[in-house]
Amino acid sequence: MLSTVPDTWLTNEPGFTTTTDVRNAYITHLTARAAASTHWLPTEFPPPTERTGRRRG
């Protein structure tokens, strides 16, 4: 949640007057990104037999 980000992390951001403005900009950005996720989120994954890397478990 953006409400848990300390105000001191959001102060003095260029182009923003208040920390609330910064939080609202992040909310707008993240909402738009989530809405467009079908355009950037991978959907094709190799079958488990072709995957490399460490197995969990």
Side-chain angles (χ1 to χ4, degrees):
M1 293 199 114
L2 289 173
S3 62
T4 62
V5 175
D7 284 351
T8 55
W9 292 6
L10 305 174
T11 56
N12 300 321
E13 281 294 316
F16 298 96
T17 306
T18 67
T19 56
T20 299
D21 293 340
V22 178
R23 280 191 178 86
N24 288 338
Y26 273 118
I27 290 168
T28 299
H29 170 75
L30 294 174
T31 301
R33 187 136 165 89
S37 64
T38 57
H39 300 288
W40 58 266
L41 189 65
T43 57
E44 300 295 324
F45 297 97
T49 56
E50 294 178 19
R51 293 182 190 159
T52 59
R54 234 171 85 173
R55 293 191 104 147
R56 296 179 187 210

